Amino acid sequence: MAAFAIASPLLGDTFMPESPDDQVQAQDASIASPTTPTTPITPISEEALVSEGPNETDSEHDNELSPRPQHVTQRRRLQNSIFSAWLSKRAEKITKEEVKAVIQNADDEALSIRNLMAKQESNVIVGDPREYQIELFERAKKQDIIAVLDTGSGKTLIAVLLLKHMMEVELEDRALGKPRRIAFFIVNCVTLVFQQFAVLECNLNQKIDRFCGDMSTDLWTKSVWDKHFQDNMAIVCTAEVLYNCLLHSFISIDQINLLIFDEAHHAKKNHSYARIIKDFYIAEPDTSKRPKIFGMTASPVDAKVDVVQAARELETLLHCQIATTADLSLLRTSISRPTEHVLPYPPPQLPYMTVLCSEIYERFKDMEPLSRLFRCAKEAASDLGEWAADYLWSVALKDEEAKKIEREVEQTFLSEKEQRPVEVLNEAVARVREVAEIVKDHTFSPLSLEGNSVSSKVVCLYGFLNSVFERQTDARCIVFVKQRYTARLLTEIFKRIGSPHMKLGLLIGTNSTEAGDMKFSVRQQVLTLMKFRKGDLNCLFATSIAEEGLDIPDCNTIIRFDLYSTLIQYIQSRGRARHKNSKYVHMVEQGNRQHAQAVRDVRNNEDILRNFCEALPADRLLLGNDYDLEEALAKERTHRTYTDPKTGAKLTYRSSLAILAHFPHDHETALRASYVMSVESKQYVCEVIMPEMSPIVSVTGHPSARKAIAKCSAAFEACLKLRQAGYLDSNLLPIYHKQLPAMRNAHLALSLKTTNVYDMRVKPEVWEQTWGAIPTELYMTVLDVNDAEALGRPSQPLAMLTRFMISNLPSFPLHLRPGTTSEVSCKPLTNSLKLTDSILSRLTSFTLRIYKDIFNKTYETNDISMSYWLAPLIKYQPADLHIRKPQNLIDWSVLDSVHENEEIPWTIDTPLEDLSNRYLIDRWDGGRRFFSVGVAPGLNPGDPVPEGSIAHKYMDTILDYTVSLFSKSRARATWRKDQPVLVAHRVLHRRNWLDDWNEAEQNVKTLSYLCPEPLKFSALPTTVAAMGYLFPAIIFRLEAYLIVLEACTKLGLRVKPELALEALTKDSDNTEEHRTEQVHFQRGMGKNYERLEFIGDCFLKMATSISLYAQNAGDDEFESHVKRMLMLCNANLFKTARKLKLYEYIRTQGFSRRTWYPEGIKLLEGKGHKKTGKEVFKHHLNDKTIADVCEALIGASLISYNDTGDMDMAVKAVTIFVSNPDHTVEKWDDYYKLYKLPAYQTAASTAWQADLAAQVERLHSYHFKYPRLLNSAFSHPSYPSGVGRDRIPNYQRLEFLGDSLLDMACINFLFYRYPDRDPQWLTEHKMAMVSNKFLGALSVKLGFHKHLRLLDSSHIHMIQEYVTEITEADAESNGARDYWTTTKNPPKCLPDIVESYIGAIFVDSEFDYKEVERFFEAHVRWYFEDMSIYDTFANCHPTTFLSNLLTLDFGCTNYRIMSDELPTILEGAPIRVIAVVMVHDEIIAEGIAASSKYAKLKASSKALEMLTGLAPFEYRIQYRCDCCDKKTEGGEVVPPVEEIIGSAI
């Protein structure tokens, strides 16, 4: 019997009920109507699980939910307080030893400035003060004093004692209910902020903090400062920081209890020390509310003035008395004094020009930017020698330094009120470059001690230093000079000729603005001093920065290479020589009377000062002082001031400069005002020109006899206008921010969870449109399986005949066998089939017979309302199909046989051979259909059913097995006992051939033994029936194509059918959630919209960016972002789609047995025949899905024409869906027609601009027609844009455009290279390609950084550091393409100029996108040929996955990931941030790292370990989550904040 078994995918072994559709109805994904009842699922009892939970406790309230605030703000406040309390307790567990170990083991280069200071042992003050320190402390408690003590005598200890005393007093006052007050320790420079803070921190037991301008404190708001004032009892800061706080009324003078002035001698003129006293201290009329003052200095005199007079002026200004120890002998025994020596040197030559300098001077002496270099070079030739003078030129005209001079030249030219021809600027820039070439080509002589190579002064220093360092020694030496360049040049000289035992270092100030000058940061200062302290350096060449304040270790030798200018310089620099047997060396020119007099003067003035201090009575009043402070202040009262009536913030002439320097408020770029000075009626008049994004363009000040006052006047008037217009707030802070408003996105976002019920089309509209008449002609579409053998039995193609010609639809796969597919082709013929009544009648009979015999559905005959007809076809050659006529393809014999015969009758006389290969139907069980194999010899109807047969409800005999009648009918029926037995295989009623086989379908039995008499022999040949079983899946897909094409036609889009269907297919409730289990997944639907939405979103961003750039030349980047957001936000797309009723065409349901049947003709018999009227189908869609489909259709419009590169259809799609006047074009070429070339672009290029274009063309082979466009692409926002025709905007608009163009190029690459990757993978890997980290590296690789035009010194320094690091990483990478991932992040301006350059070539090429692709292919693609090396770049980010898990899987919205700097017991430890994951006010995980980013990553990873694997109900029980149950008072579900999703921009 086994010989009769045939393997066929059409055969099955499951018992079917009366109708084949009745049995499997529940197995298919059906479309639920709104009224369809659903069976509720009984949940597991939560009470049954509580006792087994991990949080079981003995508390009687354990199972009660604590009341929680429902309002979001209240909830966050509660969470903040919980976190703060937890943080305090957690900090106590981190021991001093742990923190200290971290600091001590850390590399100095990796530590912050604060940590470097904390690491120094010198910060700890000896707890046993000397007598003179106690004496001055006691005096300071009683009155305001200026302590005058030598450097190193312990003035800071007195300040510490006074601070402790004032803190005790303050605590007592607070206990009595008095207002809080705070102490300020103010210093003169940033380095001292960290140094003095480290000292105070180690010696005070109250909370203190430190601030300086480098922390961007000038942009902090009052609320930020209020918190710092509330949290601390003392603050160490620069005087400028305190002055700004008082100025903006963040604090008032009566809220300060103590002012400590470090290096108090600076309190004069307009120094911030003096301004604090003049503007705020004196302005407080109630002297009881003024703070106590304590000043510290080594000398009250810092200029060549009368010592006694200067001391009295300082006393008067600070309202203090100068005080020193009564017994100076105590001081002298505590501090070692050096022996002083005079080191004479032969008179050097007078300042002169070397050969190189003379050559440059002869040709370029008229160039103002070089005047300083000429002067310095002449002085260097005299003081240091010719080698140093020439070396100075090479340093000052290196690449970057030469560009500084070029920028200075250009800035001067642009700031002139009278515009000169641009050729003047060209010539000036060209001359700067010519000088640089001369220096570059110059042959430098080797350094030698002979001749004029070095000066006699340097030779003398060389001899002395070599004697100090003739052998290995622990000695330390500082050589003091006046000029920064002198220190630098001496360092270079002694690197070449110095003793091998000299370890040279450089210590200069941080302020560097001159061309050729060296940038030196606070961090470098601290590191240099640490190395000097440890002995890694033993000889420093230093400017005056090393004289005062800095904690410098005791030195053996101090050399004044350049003599002091003031008494305090002498005292302070001498104070560095505190080592026993130390030397203080005055280098004096032989025969120079001025030098000799200078030495005598400082010694004499020191004696005068000492005598003055010793003569001061202890309790004297400030009487007899001839310095009139009122007279000095009266001069300033002629300047206008403004005091805000609400806050008391004060605007003065001086302060207006600082306020204007930070307008507009921009965290990313330094936008500065520029000042243009002119002379009118012999007085200076200044005009301030605001940055280009400012609401006020320019303001002119009042005339003044002094330039400085004129400049202040212009700034003051500008500030007044800004305040009056509301652009400065009541604290005089800018409120005109360059950033998107936080609430701007609120109405642009859509909820992913919110769904609505919409109508859904299940049939194309075209069917109904063709009803109403009997057709006279029909068009044929041939339906065939490419791999006919895949069916497992012979078949013949079918024709579908329609009243209209169906377009050429794509083939699609059917799963005819497990694990394999076969394509179904649907090929239309152009010629129609002319109909007669006879032909139409036969076609109708055949079509209805298919429905009846195969699918057990009987329809009425109604040719007027039939949508399509079916017909059998003969075999044909596919290559000839397009020339065949329909009538020649139809198998008329089959058609006639079916038309004429309801069935093939069986009689006992029927030949046995006619019983094989027949399609058999059980008359009483619609689910039983068979393909007969042949007669089974030796078997009779009364024999038992053979083993291996498919099960049936009657299994006694073969005859019983065949008959499906119920028992009563069976009893009445009689059958022949002599009929043959047939072997057959039962047909598996598989409908959804679009889906793969499941396991049950693969293991069915099909073998059956039947008697012919009870069965119906269908007139349909088995070849037709075999193909007929595939028709439901085929027509379902064809109708889906027709529906989506109708949507495209309605929109006016011509899109490939397969892409249109993909764009409109949503195959699960959570299609957009990648790598998570799909909810209600619809099998066999093919590709969903996600990939097309991904690329469509990118094209939408690019298209709207181009349109905005072309039409809105006056907009800044901010306005463009806002306008673009309004166009491409989901809310806008949804609004358009809803208006177009796009939701009707979205395919959300897979194949259904209910919907594939034809509409229009009445069902007479079969399931559903009792229904009347047209059935309406509904589906649920969330708003974002509808918006996403819009983007997917844009993507489909783009991809449909990828072969030709035509983007017109995608452009048209954007216009349709954004429905916005800012995007109205329908063709790509129309973009450029919108663009009106701005004047700056078309103006004549300068020589510099032309040269820039030529240089950049060598980096990327594109020739700029408009070099000024390239100039704009490389102009940083900090760089002045100029005025009038010379105004060149910064790169921000081009960067806005280029960003979207580069995005498109990268996504195109990924989309086509990885056709099977999901959007999440594409997004993660795109992040690597467009990351600032990569683009920064590319910028350096291309050399773009060399052409960046900016004036922000901090940016320049960051760029230099990054260039060094990325260049080294590239050199050491051995060709690795991901070398850029190993470095720190670049300054943002570097990636910005890559994007702005791309924008520039796009605009210059008249919007030719091929140029963008060419740039990508030339410079970007190489790095990303193997994307697997970037798998971890942005993939699997724990914080992202945790948010998805909580929000989407668990439905929880009451969670937060919070972080804060971790308080430590040992202050000064490395900054450590702790992050926590809080769920329903309970902290469940924590992470500690050096930054907030990595702390959150660790905390999220730990939380994921705890939560992964929990079922939602388990999570809700364990963490008491009731988010899913929360309602508003009106009963509507509150959309959680975390679920709001905006447009992916």
Side-chain angles (χ1 to χ4, degrees), residues 135-151:
E135 173 194 344
L136 288 175
F137 163 57
E138 292 297 331
R139 290 188 62 183
K141 285 165 57 178
K142 299 174 184 176
Q143 63 186 103
D144 298 342
I145 66 170
I146 303 169
V148 179
L149 294 172
D150 276 358
T151 300

Side-chain angles (χ1 to χ4, degrees), residues 1098-1112 1120-1121 1123-1124 1127-1128 1214 1222-1223 1231 1293 1295-1301 1402 1407 1545:
C1098 184
F1099 186 86
L1100 174 61
K1101 173 184 173 182
M1102 180 182 72
T1104 50
S1105 300
I1106 295 171
S1107 181
L1108 287 169
Y1109 184 90
Q1111 295 183 85
N1112 300 281
S1120 297
H1121 271 298
K1123 288 181 177 180
R1124 184 174 70 184
M1127 282 193 283
L1128 51 72
V1214 171
D1222 281 324
H1223 194 287
Y1231 283 129
R1293 287 192 75 241
E1295 181 254 330
F1296 167 81
L1297 175 63
D1299 167 71
S1300 65
L1301 293 166
F1402 179 76
F1407 291 19
I1545 297 177

Side-chain angles (χ1 to χ4, degrees), residues 717-767:
E717 298 301 327
C719 288
L720 277 185
K721 284 194 173 184
L722 291 170
R723 177 69 186 112
Q724 291 164 0
Y727 296 117
L728 292 176
D729 66 13
S730 57
N731 290 110
L732 303 180
L733 287 177
I735 60 173
Y736 189 75
H737 297 253
K738 178 187 170 285
Q739 61 186 36
L740 290 175
M743 294 305 295
R744 172 66 78 174
N745 287 343
H747 64 286
L748 306 181
L750 293 176
S751 171
L752 185 62
K753 296 291 184 181
T754 302
T755 61
N756 291 300
V757 178
Y758 297 98
D759 290 344
M760 180 181 69
R761 292 179 184 266
V762 295
K763 295 292 179 182
E765 197 173 31
V766 67
W767 292 153

